[in-house]
Amino acid sequence: MPPAGGDLALPGQETPGAEVPWLEPFPDQDTAGRAFGTGAVAGDPAGVVVARGSLRLALIAAMQLLPPRQRAVLILRDVLAWPASEVAEALGTSTASVNSTLQRARARLGEAGLTEDEVTEPPDLGQRAVIDRYLRAFEDADLDALRTLLTQDVVLEMPPVLNWYVGPDAYIAFIARVFAMRGKDWRLRPTSANGQPALAAYVRAPGADTYRLRTLQVFTADHGAVSHTAVFQLPTVFAAFGLPEIWEG
């Protein structure tokens, strides 16, 4: 994440980033409804819990503690369980380098004192209630209602674009600009990513007949309010989640 006071450019003025491209949201289920992640087996609730804990722990370490290369290696090896040789091929390096990088990433994680026991299951019902209210406010283009659902230090970012928005004023100004540019006729479909609530957002342009996929929004909701929103517009992300281009609701 950029330091505080990062780029606050409006839509259409995005600054591309150079982050490792594998740092994208990961669907909690495949298109058939089977749970993803290390140890996750369809019909095995214990495996799902272990998988989600491992995934969130790796993502916390990746986003908050580690440089880009270590982030990618940690997620690919410890969460997605890729063989070291395949990680090396994907990153254009050697197996020895991958193993060394993973050791450094794990060491940094150990120094920070993070463990899976500290990464608890999210309050799913509470989070979903907040996101349901967010969904209704967004579809109603009700900026005042959206503002009431944000924490005072809320962050909105758009990986891999470097632009980011801090605080309710900047957040709401961005959403208002989106409505002005894209229109106010939206439909949002709930899903989940990285063990967090998410919404697939479809917009119908003025004069158009159909709603088209525009973004996938992944939320962190704490104590009844949204504290972080990551907005993705990458076709690779849409494909990973099996999202149709046209609204089928």
Side-chain angles (χ1 to χ4, degrees), residues 219-243:
F219 299 90
T220 301
D222 301 314
H223 307 294
V226 173
S227 60
H228 187 276
T229 305
V231 180
F232 298 88
Q233 303 180 75
L234 303 173
T236 53
V237 171
F238 299 157
F241 282 77
L243 296 172

Side-chain angles (χ1 to χ4, degrees), residues 35-124:
F36 279 129
T38 304
V41 179
D44 178 9
V48 172
V49 170
V50 170
R52 289 180 175 175
S54 299
L55 179 57
R56 281 194 298 279
L57 180 62
L59 290 171
I60 288 171
M63 299 308 296
Q64 297 183 359
L65 303 174
L66 303 177
R69 183 55 62 99
Q70 289 184 21
R71 297 179 197 175
V73 169
L74 181 73
I75 292 173
L76 291 173
R77 289 286 288 120
D78 280 1
V79 177
L80 303 185
W82 282 27
S85 59
E86 292 185 13
V87 176
E89 181 179 357
L91 298 181
T93 186
S94 66
T95 299
S97 177
V98 166
N99 291 332
S100 175
T101 300
L102 181 61
Q103 288 179 350
R104 293 196 299 273
R106 288 172 173 169
R108 179 68 187 93
L109 183 63
E111 292 169 3
L114 288 176
T115 67
E116 287 188 27
D117 291 339
E118 298 174 50
V119 186
T120 58
E121 281 293 294
D124 290 339

